[in-house]
Amino acid sequence: MLADWWQYDFLRYTLFSGILIGLICPLLGTFLIVRRLSMMADGLSHVTLSGVAAGMLVSKKIAFFSAVNPLFFGMLFAVVGSLFIERLRKVYKAYQDLAIPIILSTGLGLFTVLISVADGFNADLYSYLFGKIVTVSIEDLYALIGVAVVVLGTVFLIYKELFAVSFDEEFARVSGVARRSINLWFMVLVALTIAASMRIVGVLLISALITLPVAASLQIARSFRQTIFFSILFAEISVLSGLYFAYLFDWASGGTIVLMAVLIMLVVLGVKKLRVIMR
C-alpha cells in the first residue's frame, strides 16, 4: 500500500502537496487566530470557489483559455477578495469582522450564478469543493511550491513585524512598523494559500485545516513559537493520515483530513482534562 505512493505520479504530487499544505496552513492560521480573524479563510474560500467556477466557464466558452488551469482564476479572485476585505475593514472600523460575511456572501452568490450560466454542476468541481487525491496535477504542485516559498520567506524575513501587528496593531504603528503594507500582504498570502490548497483539502474545508490544528495547539503551547510548532505538527499528522485513509477507502481527501484534525483536537482536549482530574 505504501509503495503505491512512490509508484504513481499523482500520489507523489499529492504527498508532496499535502506536506506543504500541512506546513503553511497552520503557520498562517496561527497569526489569523491571534488577530481574531479565524473566519477569514471561510470568506476567501467562497471567493476562490467563484474564481474556479469562472475559470471553468471561461475555458468552456473561449478556446484560448481552455488550457488554463482554473486554479489560477481561483488565485486571482482570492487575491482580489483579500484586498476587498482589507478595504472593508477600514470602512467599517468599529465592525471590522463585518467585512468577512460581506465577502463570503458575495463569493457564494457569484459562484451560484456562474454555475447556473455554465448549465450545471461540473463533475471536476467536486474535487475543488471537497478535495480528491487523483486530481492533483504537477501544475497544482508547482503552484503550491511557489506559494509555500513566498509564505515561508515572508514569515522568516518579517516575523517580528508580523508578530507585533498581530498582537498589538496600535503599538506596531507607534513603533514605526508598516502595518498597512504588512496587513495587506498577509491577506494576499492567506488568499494564495487557500487557492493553492483546494485540490487536496477542498475549498469548503480548507478553513478547518487552518484553524483546527491551531485550536489544538493553543491547549498545550506555552509560547507563540510553541503554538506554531504544535500547529504544524498536528496539521502534518492530520494531512498524512487523512491522505492515507482517503486513498485506502476511496474517501474525499479534504473531509478525511479534517476529521483527523478534529480527532487530534479531541485527543488533546481529553488528555488535558485527564491531567486536571488527576492532579
Side-chain angles (χ1 to χ4, degrees):
M1 180 65 68
L2 293 177
D4 292 346
W5 291 88
W6 302 107
Q7 182 177 356
Y8 301 106
D9 288 340
F10 75 92
L11 287 178
R12 287 201 301 272
Y13 302 155
T14 299
L15 179 61
F16 296 146
S17 298
I19 292 172
L20 290 174
I21 290 170
L23 178 62
I24 61 177
C25 281
L27 177 60
L28 294 178
T30 306
F31 288 101
L32 273 178
I33 287 181
V34 168
R35 290 165 173 245
R36 292 177 174 82
L37 291 173
S38 58
M39 294 300 294
M40 176 72 68
D42 279 308
L44 288 178
S45 65
H46 286 74
V47 176
T48 305
L49 187 59
S50 65
V52 170
M56 290 181 172
L57 179 61
V58 170
S59 63
K60 181 178 179 181
K61 300 293 184 181
I62 305 175
F64 178 78
F65 292 101
S66 60
V68 178
N69 192 331
L71 171 67
F72 299 115
F73 284 90
M75 284 184 169
L76 177 61
F77 274 55
V79 170
V80 173
S82 68
L83 298 179
F84 270 108
I85 287 179
E86 189 61 20
R87 179 59 184 170
L88 287 171
R89 289 182 66 211
K90 294 177 182 178
V91 173
Y92 296 98
K93 292 183 179 180
Y95 310 96
Q96 292 189 4
D97 58 335
L98 188 59
I100 298 175
I102 290 175
I103 292 298
L104 188 152
S105 302
T106 303
L108 188 58
L110 183 58
F111 167 72
T112 305
V113 171
L114 289 171
I115 287 298
S116 65
V117 173
D119 298 324
F121 190 90
N122 192 305
D124 190 46
L125 197 56
Y126 179 89
S127 64
Y128 288 103
L129 288 170
F130 308 110
K132 197 171 183 181
I133 290 177
V134 298
T135 59
V136 179
S137 67
I138 188 63
E139 287 183 348
D140 298 326
L141 176 58
Y142 285 154
L144 190 54
I145 291 174
V147 172
V149 168
V150 174
V151 169
L152 295 175
T154 298
V155 173
F156 178 78
L157 292 174
I158 60 171
Y159 174 82
K160 292 182 179 179
E161 289 81 358
L162 273 174
F163 181 87
V165 172
S166 298
F167 276 92
D168 193 335
E169 193 166 333
E170 190 59 31
F171 173 77
R173 183 187 66 82
V174 174
S175 301
V177 177
R179 59 187 180 89
R180 291 184 178 179
S181 299
I182 290 176
N183 279 333
L184 194 60
W185 181 238
F186 180 77
M187 295 297 184
V188 171
L189 291 181
V190 174
L192 291 175
T193 299
I194 291 172
S197 305
M198 67 172 68
R199 279 293 204 182
I200 298 289
V201 188
V203 71
L204 296 183
L205 299 170
I206 186 63
S207 62
L209 187 60
I210 290 176
T211 56
L212 288 177
V214 183
S217 177
L218 288 171
Q219 295 297 314
I220 59 176
R222 297 182 179 180
S223 67
F224 188 70
R225 290 182 183 272
Q226 276 193 10
T227 302
I228 293 177
F229 172 77
F230 284 118
S231 297
I232 293 174
L233 176 63
F234 293 152
E236 293 290 4
I237 295 174
S238 301
V239 170
L240 295 177
S241 61
L243 289 177
Y244 175 78
F245 287 117
Y247 177 68
L248 184 63
F249 298 109
D250 195 24
W251 293 343
S253 58
T256 311
I257 289 170
V258 170
L259 289 178
M260 292 298 104
V262 171
L263 180 61
I264 289 173
M265 186 181 69
L266 292 176
V267 170
V268 170
L269 290 173
V271 171
K272 184 179 180 181
K273 183 68 174 179
L274 186 62
R275 286 182 176 178
V276 173
I277 294 174
M278 294 178 64
R279 285 180 181 175

